[in-house]
Amino acid sequence: MYSDSELMSVYDFLRNTPEGHLRKMMVAGKMSNDHFMVLMKVARGCSSEEFAKHAIAKDFPKMKSNAKEVPIKDSLWPIALGKFEELGLLAAGAKAA
């Protein structure tokens, strides 16, 4: 499992990196543009502590979702956490702990 501090660091990265650059880095493979948009919606809508809590619990803050976003929520966290590992933002071995 990832620590709160690791996930808060990812949150800070998401909040402080221009969205165009993030999109180029993250949208590939399983991470679609729609997944990216939902992830950014979560990051914009909560604090770093809340982001970490939701990532660990694999749930979401209260937010309005359109019909296109609802099915994405089921797969977002595993895909996003995998992408963070791939990019080196999270340690790959941490989830096994």
Side-chain angles (χ1 to χ4, degrees):
M1 179 176 270
Y2 306 108
S3 72
D4 287 354
S5 62
E6 289 174 311
L7 291 164
M8 287 189 280
S9 175
V10 170
Y11 170 87
D12 289 338
F13 179 78
L14 293 174
R15 292 291 303 227
N16 294 312
T17 305
E19 192 170 316
H21 296 295
L22 281 174
R23 187 181 313 276
K24 286 179 184 176
M25 284 190 305
M26 296 192 70
V27 176
K30 292 181 180 179
M31 176 71 86
S32 69
N33 188 60
D34 293 333
H35 285 92
F36 176 75
M37 293 305 296
V38 173
L39 177 66
M40 292 308 294
K41 193 175 193 179
V42 171
R44 284 188 218 109
C46 61
S47 68
S48 61
E49 294 84 8
E50 292 171 328
F51 180 86
K53 179 184 74 113
H54 291 299
I56 290 168
K58 294 182 177 45
D59 63 9
F60 294 87
K62 289 191 179 210
M63 61 184 202
K64 289 186 178 182
S65 300
N66 61 38
K68 192 175 178 182
E69 294 171 338
V70 172
I72 289 172
K73 287 182 172 183
D74 294 334
S75 62
L76 178 68
W77 288 118
I79 291 171
L81 295 172
K83 182 58 83 168
F84 299 151
E85 285 181 8
E86 181 183 320
L87 295 172
L89 299 173
L90 290 174
K95 68 179 173 187

